[in-house]
Amino acid sequence: MSAMNATLIAHQQDHRSAQGTAGSLTGTLRLFRFALRRDRVRIPAWGLGIGGMVAYFGSVIPIAYPDQAALQTRAAIMQDPSGALLTGPGYGIDNYTFGAMVTNELLGMLAVAAALMSIFLVVRHTRAEEESGRAELIRAGVVGNRAPLAAAVLTLLVANAAIGAALGGGLLASGLVFTDTLAVSAGMALVGLVFGGVAAVTAQLSEHARTASGMAGAALALAFLLRGIGDAQALGGSALSWFSPIAWAQQTRAFTDLRWWPLLLCVGLVAVLLTIAVLLTVHRDFGAGLVPARSGRGSARKSLVHPVGLILRMERGSIIGWLTGLVIFAVLTGSMGQGIVESFEAQPQLAAVFGQGAGGDVLRATLASFTAYFAMAVAVYAVISVNRLRGEESDGRTGAILATSVSRARWLVSSLAVTALGSTVMLLGIGLGLGVGAGTSLSDPNLALDFALVGLVYLPLVMAFAGLAALSYGVLRAGRWWVWLLLLGSIIVGVYGPLLNLPGAVSDAEPFGLMPRVPAEALSPGPVLGSALVALLLVTAGVLSFRRRDLEAG
């Protein structure tokens, strides 16, 4: 036996010995440091985004609402069921302040952002690592079987502490008191931890990262829906609100009548979820989920031979999930039609907020505005749908498909066709849901017909954002952050434009606001055709770019 072989065998024996004596958490700190290094840009970016937005709110609110009368006009929106559905429970209405505005109107949306960040973080560091095979390489070393999950949880704690601190810094810079600011920051961070815990559980259930993220995202959507319906039922929230962790953060009544105990519900649920996740790791094999994947057919259907059929098969779960959530939310929003009419008759200033003067059809104008908000959600789906191509390419599946007779242009155009189909179905469902809900509320079946097709007005604009994502994919090194920056900027300006008191040029350039608000106003073809032309140009540029670059893998 040579000296080299003897040395190698000695190292292997030492390695087996180290593995044999390793505990379940061995290697956690090293994996934790590695995860922090991987997220060294993402976590500060989330923190700066949230802290910067809140600081900006604090600087423009005194300009947009210079006196108490102006703030009370804003508070009237919170007393309307539709306002409570989209924002929060409505505390401190009698003496509305910037602090109460933060708790009622901002905290819910910021908590959703923290929850999404947490879901993506936990799934990326657990299930996605197993699915890609990198976790197997890591566990070939001296690493305990629970160390990856423990490292992900530690990273989750750091990330939520960072964005909580950023939110607190933004609120303190706006002149708010420390104690209530601490409660708001802690509430947002704890909601993030709750849904990070949900993702830790779903990562044990499914063997695919996309499914794990989808299940956790569905739980988040359900929580938002329960909070919205519960808060719309009664000022300050109803019993239904307490089934949502998002509501627990808002129920602290910060800046109005602070109480800390609702946050204990978040702490308890985090502990329960993490305990369940740890216990589940014992009962599953590495790389597998507790919910086994169904066996496939012996031979593929003819539809799967075509790229559109294959992509539609891969996307159908996502499309059904988005469609179901959006239609339910649209029906609930439309069902408040009678309340909207009564509120606007009693408070004409609310009609002006939704762009409808006195004497007009306030119901149709308001529902048309809500259609724009729903279209923003469809645009988010469209960008996510196109971005999925990056994962397919990095995992090597795109290379395998392109090795057949499928060209690059055909593959990308087929994917965009499925995105367009999914977006069309969702926009139709939204319009029909709003019309059916409002028609049922007001006993006017014509409303369903009036709104059945109005969502399609936004389809060219949605596909323009899909075209942006296609262009960023075609030029792979360009990244996709700028697509999200443009989309989220459009959403923030569109939803919070009146509140932010932005310059007129910025508000006028917001793309969703350029679309005609049918049926409250006549269909103007200019913005629709302009968006369609932009979408066509972006898709063409994306296809041409994709044909010229090298594949990342496969």
Side-chain angles (χ1 to χ4, degrees):
M1 178 182 297
S2 67
M4 182 177 294
N5 287 340
T7 302
L8 180 60
I9 291 173
H11 277 299
Q12 290 175 337
Q13 290 174 341
D14 291 342
H15 182 72
R16 292 194 187 99
S17 176
Q19 281 186 317
T21 58
S24 62
L25 296 177
T26 300
T28 297
L29 292 180
R30 285 191 176 186
L31 291 177
F32 171 50
R33 289 196 294 269
F34 181 54
L36 287 181
R37 179 175 174 75
R38 292 178 62 191
D39 286 344
R40 64 187 181 280
V41 175
R42 289 189 180 92
I43 294 175
W46 277 95
L48 288 173
I50 289 176
M53 187 177 74
V54 171
Y56 181 75
F57 265 82
S59 65
V60 300
I61 288 300
I63 301 173
Y65 299 92
D67 52 35
Q68 191 59 41
L71 285 170
Q72 290 306 129
T73 301
R74 182 75 193 178
I77 297 175
M78 297 303 303
Q79 294 177 295
D80 184 79
S82 59
L85 177 71
L86 296 175
T87 54
Y91 285 113
I93 296 297
D94 295 337
N95 182 27
Y96 212 47
T97 62
F98 172 59
M101 193 179 291
V102 169
T103 305
N104 287 315
E105 303 185 45
L106 289 183
L107 181 54
M109 298 304 296
L110 295 176
V112 169
L116 287 173
M117 179 203 71
S118 300
I119 290 170
F120 295 149
L121 184 150
V122 171
V123 173
R124 182 169 61 251
H125 290 295
T126 54
R127 174 53 59 184
E129 291 295 285
E130 289 191 36
E131 190 175 3
S132 67
R134 287 188 290 269
E136 187 173 8
L137 290 175
I138 291 173
R139 292 187 62 174
V142 186
V143 175
N145 59 352
R146 291 174 179 168
L149 177 60
V153 171
L154 290 176
T155 310
L156 177 71
L157 289 171
V158 170
N160 281 284
I163 63 169
L167 173 61
L171 294 178
L172 291 175
S174 303
L176 296 179
V177 296
F178 176 77
T179 307
D180 295 74
T181 294
L182 182 61
V184 168
S185 302
M188 184 192 68
L190 284 171
V191 172
L193 290 176
V194 166
F195 286 95
V198 172
V201 172
T202 59
Q204 314 307 316
L205 299 178
S206 172
E207 64 180 85
H208 299 293
R210 187 185 304 174
T211 307
S213 297
M215 288 193 290
L220 174 60
L222 178 62
F224 189 83
L225 192 63
L226 290 174
R227 182 217 59 76
I229 299 173
D231 290 349
Q233 289 178 343
L235 189 64
S238 64
L240 193 61
S241 303
W242 290 93
F243 286 91
S244 170
I246 299 173
W248 299 342
Q250 292 180 305
Q251 290 291 343
T252 55
R253 303 176 183 174
F255 305 110
T256 300
D257 181 21
L258 179 62
R259 54 183 182 181
W260 290 91
W261 64 263
L263 298 183
L264 294 177
L265 299 174
C266 291
V267 175
L269 185 55
V270 171
V272 170
L273 288 168
L274 293 181
T275 301
I276 292 173
V278 170
L279 293 176
L280 291 180
T281 58
V282 180
H283 298 285
R284 70 175 180 88
D285 294 330
F286 178 78
L290 288 174
V291 179
R294 291 185 303 171
S295 300
R297 295 165 57 96
S299 58
R301 295 172 177 167
K302 287 185 178 179
S303 60
L304 297 181
V305 177
H306 194 280
V308 172
L310 175 61
I311 297 170
L312 186 59
R313 173 66 179 81
M314 295 162 62
E315 279 282 286
R316 69 178 183 182
S318 175
I319 293 174
I320 292 172
W322 277 85
L323 177 64
T324 304
L326 289 172
V327 169
I328 291 174
F329 217 20
V331 172
L332 291 172
T333 303
S335 66
M336 297 178 184
Q338 182 63 44
I340 292 172
V341 171
E342 292 174 355
S343 297
F344 286 176
E345 288 176 350
Q347 303 171 77
Q349 68 273 23
L350 288 180
V353 173
F354 290 94
Q356 184 67 31
D361 191 335
V362 293
L363 176 66
R364 282 176 170 75
T366 306
L367 294 183
S369 297
F370 281 127
T371 306
Y373 300 152
F374 282 111
M376 296 173 186
V378 179
V380 172
Y381 154 77
V383 171
I384 292 174
S385 175
V386 177
N387 284 340
R388 174 190 47 77
L389 290 171
R390 295 174 183 269
E392 297 297 320
E393 182 176 338
S394 62
D395 290 341
R397 289 189 285 270
T398 298
I401 291 172
L402 295 181
T404 64
S405 60
V406 177
S407 66
R408 293 191 181 200
R410 189 182 176 197
W411 174 246
L412 183 52
V413 170
S414 297
S415 179
L416 289 166
V418 173
T419 301
L421 176 62
S423 301
T424 302
V425 172
M426 290 176 201
L427 290 170
L428 284 172
I430 288 166
L432 194 60
L434 281 171
V436 168
T440 305
S441 170
L442 298 168
S443 302
D444 184 0
N446 291 328
L447 285 170
L449 297 176
D450 290 348
F451 280 90
L453 301 177
V454 297
L456 295 181
V457 170
Y458 294 91
L459 181 60
L461 181 58
V462 168
M463 290 311 298
F465 280 104
L468 277 176
L471 179 60
S472 76
Y473 174 66
V475 189
L476 190 59
R477 291 184 178 82
R480 54 189 168 187
W481 61 269
W482 57 277
V483 180
W484 285 114
L485 183 65
L486 289 172
L487 177 55
L488 294 179
S490 300
I491 293 174
I492 290 172
V493 174
V495 175
Y496 293 106
L499 180 63
L500 292 171
N501 195 30
L502 294 171
V506 177
S507 298
D508 293 342
E510 190 273 304
F512 291 95
L514 297 176
M515 295 295 108
R517 300 294 174 92
V518 290
E521 59 184 57
L523 175 62
S524 175
V528 180
L529 294 176
S531 300
L533 179 60
V534 170
L536 180 62
L537 292 175
L538 289 170
V539 168
T540 303
V543 171
L544 292 176
S545 302
F546 183 51
R547 291 177 61 186
R548 294 173 180 274
R549 71 168 173 83
D550 295 331
L551 289 181
E552 191 176 60

